[in-house]
Amino acid sequence: MSKLALLGGAPVREKAIPWTNTMGEEEKNAVVEVMDSGILSAFLGRAREQFLGGPKVKEIELMFADKFGAKYGISVNSATTALHTAVAACEIGPGDEVLVTPYTMSATASAILMNNAVPVFVDICADTYTLNPGEIEKWLTPRTKAVIVTNLFGLPGNLPEILKLAKKHGLYVIEDNAQAPGATINGKQAGTFGDLGIFSLNYHKVIHSGEGGIILTNNEKLAYRCQLIRNHGEVAADDLNDDETVVLGSNYRMTELHAAIGIEQLKKLDGFLTLRRALADQLTKGLHNFPGLKGVTVPEGYTHSYYVYPIQFEKSIWRIKRSTFAAAMKAEGFPVGEGYQKPLYLLKMYQHKKVYNQTQYPFAFIEKPVQHYQKGICPVVEEMYEEKLVIADVCRVPYCEEDISDFLTAVDKVWQAREELYEYEKNSLYRS
Ligand SMILES: *Cc1c(COP(=O)(O)O)cnc(C)c1O
């Protein structure tokens, strides 16, 4: 075996493979078409013809609804604002609690706080990284109004089980599907199981338009509320003489330009997913050769979108630190991430319970909180974050079969050299 790059040998790859521009002629032409029309956004914040936006915005909404199998699509300018809108659509507010995992983008939980409700964090399953349905009932209170399920890394959560529990306890289910467009359970699309499902068109996601978000729902009333929240709904509700609807809106409108790009990207989704899945399958097979690395297991009946490829690193088998493994992989030309997102409840904002000012609201709306965000409340998440999780971002364009083989060669090099790395760590020659 050749010498590790970290210890002065030649790397498997001289250079890490760069990010790729997935914008093609289709997107460019679509943008030019909008530019030529001069209508860059056709929204008007009054309950008139333009309340629902222009042609491209309407087209992308129909396309998403059609593609994934939902009745209504509502476009917004990010998945973050989609989440805020979804929570608000469910009339969740002060005094309410919403269940969510702490192993997700901060926006998933912030959407709850931005509605003045309070997140209650639920642990994940170690083999799927998604919300453990078995942990739901322990955190329920009379104030629990909803559960937000993040379909993390591209794998749908255990939605069949979660929906059963939600029905039993009268909870809304919102799916944060920013990372799993096109993933399925028994043929049904992720993002369409819950009352509302949100998608992202942010630059880092499987498909993108720079920024953008889509909400899907089958519920007419929720769709209406989303449309109001997106576009200054307090004015529109007044225009409509709607006394029933309690709503505070904002400007979360998608531009015609972003819609035009998103439409072309959505057409490419299936192609991207075919590549992601082929590379991921190759990687999963290859990782079986390493006892101290656990690749992805896709549950029976599920498909994965492989937004990223999560791997569990077993320190007891490797005998080196995860950070040493990561440094060695990086030196070979294959940087990997470590730990993903810090468990959200450990962020200072939750630890200090200071969100808007010094008052401790919205936490102070809850007289006897069921949870105090102390370390240890979600041990599986903490273990993944602190010790086990390694993230490979190699299952996407422009990677090919050969790149995955090289990735596995790099892993093998590090594996073969683990005793040497152990000594290296011990002698403190290695500074992280
Ligand atoms: C990226 C992401 C978001 C936010 O998406 P934006 O479109 O960037 O606002 C929310 N949730 C998850 C799980 C994400 O990965």
Side-chain angles (χ1 to χ4, degrees), residues 78-81 83 104-105 107-108 150 152 176 178-179 198 200-202 205 211-212 307 340:
S78 72
T80 300
T81 55
L83 283 160
T104 179
M105 200 197 164
T108 321
T150 299
L152 197 72
D176 181 342
Q179 300 185 1
I198 69 99
S200 176
L201 287 166
N202 168 265
K205 301 296 151 75
E211 304 285 355
Y307 167 61
Y340 186 54

Side-chain angles (χ1 to χ4, degrees), residues 48 152 164 224 350 422:
R48 295 184 193 143
L152 197 72
K164 264 188 233 161
Y224 169 61
Y350 291 103
Y422 178 72

Side-chain angles (χ1 to χ4, degrees), residues 134-432:
E135 293 283 306
I136 285 183
E137 286 184 327
K138 111 179 188 200
W139 297 115
L140 286 177
T141 75
R143 303 174 295 265
T144 316
K145 290 286 149 52
V147 50
I148 306 183
V149 182
T150 299
N151 299 324
L152 197 72
F153 305 144
L155 182 69
N158 187 347
L159 289 154
E161 275 307 308
I162 292 165
L163 286 176
K164 264 188 233 161
L165 286 165
K167 193 162 179 202
K168 180 173 161 197
H169 298 290
L171 310 177
Y172 283 106
V173 175
I174 298 169
E175 277 177 84
D176 181 342
N177 200 42
Q179 300 185 1
T184 56
I185 306 175
N186 297 324
K188 188 174 163 67
Q189 290 284 340
T192 66
F193 283 85
D195 297 282
L196 299 134
I198 69 99
F199 292 70
S200 176
L201 287 166
N202 168 265
Y203 174 63
H204 296 102
K205 301 296 151 75
V206 178
I207 55 171
H208 80 93
S209 60
E211 304 285 355
I214 303 280
I215 306 162
L216 295 183
T217 181
N218 289 319
N219 181 311
E220 189 181 359
K221 185 182 161 202
L222 291 176
Y224 169 61
R225 287 187 58 82
C226 288
Q227 288 167 342
L228 289 172
I229 294 155
R230 165 180 66 183
N231 193 8
H232 309 289
E234 66 279 10
V235 177
D238 193 81
D239 283 341
L240 295 167
N241 237 337
D242 180 349
D243 288 321
E244 310 263 287
T245 303
V246 177
V247 73
L248 172 62
S250 187
N251 172 359
Y252 291 162
R253 305 175 305 211
M254 180 184 278
T255 74
E256 288 289 288
L257 289 167
H258 292 89
I261 299 167
I263 288 166
E264 297 309 320
Q265 285 272 302
L266 184 57
K267 293 178 191 166
K268 297 181 177 178
L269 175 63
D270 291 344
F272 290 153
L273 290 178
T274 302
L275 175 77
R276 281 176 185 262
R277 286 169 181 157
L279 298 178
D281 288 347
Q282 186 191 347
L283 187 51
T284 300
K285 280 201 195 88
L287 288 173
H288 282 144
N289 297 323
F290 304 97
L293 293 179
K294 187 173 166 290
V296 170
T297 329
V298 183
E300 183 75 28
Y302 284 57
T303 62
H304 204 299
S305 290
Y306 297 103
Y307 167 61
V308 290
Y309 191 101
I311 300 169
Q312 282 176 45
F313 175 85
E314 282 299 338
K315 186 172 184 290
S316 61
I317 294 171
W318 283 75
R319 293 181 68 226
I320 56 171
K321 291 184 210 155
R322 179 178 67 182
S323 57
T324 305
F325 172 80
M329 284 297 291
K330 187 176 176 197
E332 297 301 333
F334 288 100
V336 292
E338 289 178 70
Y340 186 54
Q341 165 70 47
K342 183 196 260 189
L344 291 177
Y345 53 82
L346 296 179
L347 297 178
K348 291 188 198 308
M349 180 181 70
Y350 291 103
Q351 290 298 305
H352 303 325
K353 296 193 176 174
K354 297 264 171 72
V355 178
Y356 296 107
N357 53 21
Q358 303 296 322
T359 64
Q360 304 224 315
Y361 284 96
F363 303 105
F365 286 121
I366 312 281
E367 229 171 86
K368 288 205 179 92
V370 65
Q371 190 173 78
H372 293 281
Y373 307 132
Q374 66 275 32
K375 192 158 166 39
I377 53 176
C378 297
V380 180
V381 169
E382 290 181 17
E383 188 183 35
M384 291 300 157
Y385 172 67
E386 287 163 12
E387 291 173 28
K388 288 197 168 172
L389 200 81
V390 167
I391 290 179
D393 185 16
V394 292
C395 300
R396 56 170 169 87
V397 284
Y399 287 76
C400 63
E401 212 180 306
E402 198 196 331
D403 300 322
I404 302 298
S405 299
D406 283 353
F407 179 90
L408 290 164
T409 302
V411 173
D412 194 47
K413 262 181 94 174
V414 183
W415 172 250
Q416 302 290 340
R418 65 193 184 283
E419 289 303 324
E420 219 179 320
L421 283 169
Y422 178 72
E423 292 302 318
Y424 193 62
E425 268 180 6
K426 233 175 41 182
N427 297 332
S428 319
L429 287 167
Y430 164 62
R431 292 181 299 260
S432 68

Side-chain angles (χ1 to χ4, degrees), residues 92-96 110-118 356 361-363 365:
I92 287 164
D96 294 337
S110 299
I112 301 162
L113 292 173
M114 288 191 172
N115 281 287
N116 277 292
V118 164
Y356 296 107
Y361 284 96
F363 303 105
F365 286 121

